Amino acid sequence: MASPETIAAQARHSIDDATGAVVPPLHTSTTYARDEGYRLPAAHEYTRDDNPTYRAPERLLADLEGGADARLFASGMAAATAAVQALVRPGARLVASRAMYNGLRLWMTEWCEAWNVGLELVDATDLDALRAAVQRGPTSLVWIETPANPTWDVVDIAAAAEIARAGGARLAVDSTVATPVHTRPLALGADLVMHAATKALNGHSDVLAGALATARDDEAWQRICRVRRMQGAVPGPFEAWLLLRGMRTLFVRVERASSTALELARRLSGHARVERVLYPGLESHPGHPVAARQMKGGFGSMLSILVEGGADDALRAAGRMKVFLRATSLGGVESLVEHRASVEGPGTLAPPSLLRLSIGLESVDDLWADLDEALGAR
């Protein structure tokens, strides 16, 4: 099975040895019995340490990312914070993209202040600025998100990896939006790749989970695994089982949603009520040349529009939509619209006129008609 589409669809040909079932089983037990010699028959001791249900999606993700190993976490935030806590020690420095998921940026700011960690937020699309930030002092970790929420800035992963390596740092990439369908950060030189698996990996808006994949099973990776185990930052087995089910349709879902997103971005670019469309698949997007180089087969299912007239007109447009659901999240089969500045609140970096669109699997013409009608009237 050389093709990632085949590997995903068959979940690595995961036929259950005990029964021949083509769907891997769900293991709900939290604890495991020992034999007469007090030995564990299959190395499973307690679900907080590991659960057999985790391994199928973890191995699948490692294969899709081209990594040495992967681990599931209770959420994307749990995965990201575990990586930072394991790899950045007090007194060290963390360099991170200014454009990233707002919740993680807030956590980094608070955690770094409490633990005497130097945090520098930088425009990571500016490689000179990124290089200067890494060189300002001993840096343990460089964290980038690409495409980055909610303006979908694109960071050159290969160049960022070289900069991090030259500065003695590791590079971690939040690749939630790109997914392994479009980008494989480890192949471009990254050390870690993070996914908010709640989003496109699962794809059905019914699982809370996160994941990390690593280029190497080294001491740093084992520190991350230890943080997960000691903090209990694991999903439930049912969530892991549902995640695997979602990952089996990953390619058909992501490819369809990305194709629709590109078509909508093109149509919206000519709309009289849209001031600007932010989508890396458009040549007008400043990150398009890098995206075209490092994203394969599409540019993702996320785009944002700046509505002419400002925040009030943007909110009115969102309120008139009938097909798009007004909700937070992304990567599901249903299309969502979100006024990001309202969701993030004080301190948001999102422009007040920005509407974030997560494109699902509906008819492109239905989605276009909904957007056109909602934007057309004041």
Side-chain angles (χ1 to χ4, degrees), residues 49-127:
D49 296 324
D50 196 15
N51 181 294
T53 316
Y54 300 162
R55 292 312 291 158
E58 288 172 343
R59 289 170 180 148
L60 176 55
L61 181 61
D63 279 358
L64 294 178
E65 290 289 1
D69 197 10
R71 286 290 186 273
L72 298 187
F73 288 78
S75 66
M77 281 292 290
T81 57
V84 173
Q85 289 173 325
L87 301 180
V88 185
R89 303 298 175 86
R93 296 180 72 251
L94 167 64
V95 173
S97 300
R98 183 177 295 114
M100 71 159 82
Y101 171 56
N102 185 62
L104 182 58
R105 185 176 63 247
L106 294 176
W107 177 86
M108 283 181 174
T109 301
E110 294 178 6
W111 184 83
C112 288
E113 181 178 355
W115 288 92
N116 188 33
V117 170
L119 172 64
E120 186 161 355
L121 298 174
V122 63
D123 176 4
T125 66
D126 183 340
L127 296 177

Side-chain angles (χ1 to χ4, degrees), residues 120-328:
E120 186 161 355
L121 298 174
V122 63
D123 176 4
T125 66
D126 183 340
L127 296 177
D128 289 336
L130 181 63
R131 185 178 295 105
V134 171
Q135 292 176 347
R136 261 189 277 277
T139 301
S140 297
L141 183 66
V142 176
W143 184 280
I144 63 174
E145 179 179 331
T146 183
N149 189 21
T151 52
W152 317 118
D153 297 350
V154 179
V155 182
D156 187 326
I157 297 172
E162 290 182 7
I163 290 170
R165 195 159 42 246
R170 291 181 176 86
L171 176 69
V173 179
D174 180 344
S175 193
T176 297
V177 170
T179 80
V181 175
H182 295 317
T183 307
R184 298 176 72 195
L186 302 182
L188 296 171
D191 299 286
L192 286 174
V193 57
M194 191 281 285
H195 292 280
T198 306
K199 317 304 185 189
L201 285 190
N202 170 58
H204 292 79
S205 304
D206 56 7
V207 168
L208 182 65
L212 290 172
T214 180
R216 296 169 300 280
D217 186 358
D218 55 10
E219 187 269 338
W221 176 247
Q222 290 306 315
R223 289 206 307 270
I224 293 172
C225 294
R226 178 175 171 80
V227 169
R228 183 187 83 147
R229 182 171 64 252
M230 299 302 290
Q231 294 186 347
V234 293
F238 185 55
E239 284 73 22
W241 187 88
L242 283 175
L243 176 59
L244 181 66
R245 185 176 69 166
M247 290 174 70
R248 296 178 77 153
T249 61
L250 177 66
F251 279 81
V252 291
R253 287 187 290 99
V254 170
E255 288 170 356
R256 165 65 182 270
S258 295
S259 174
T260 300
L262 178 58
E263 177 61 23
L264 290 174
R266 287 170 173 163
R267 295 186 191 185
L268 285 163
S269 294
H271 200 286
R273 294 294 318 287
V274 175
E275 183 179 307
R276 189 177 175 195
V277 179
L278 305 175
Y279 185 67
L282 296 178
E283 292 184 3
S284 60
H285 192 284
H288 178 72
V290 176
R293 187 168 66 247
Q294 71 185 22
M295 300 183 77
K296 308 301 181 184
F299 299 92
S301 63
M302 299 302 299
L303 65 141
S304 295
I305 57 175
L306 302 183
V307 178
E308 186 183 73
D312 289 343
D313 281 2
L315 284 165
R316 272 193 291 271
R320 285 193 290 261
M321 292 184 192
K322 301 294 191 295
V323 180
F324 281 84
L325 306 177
R326 290 173 291 278
T328 294

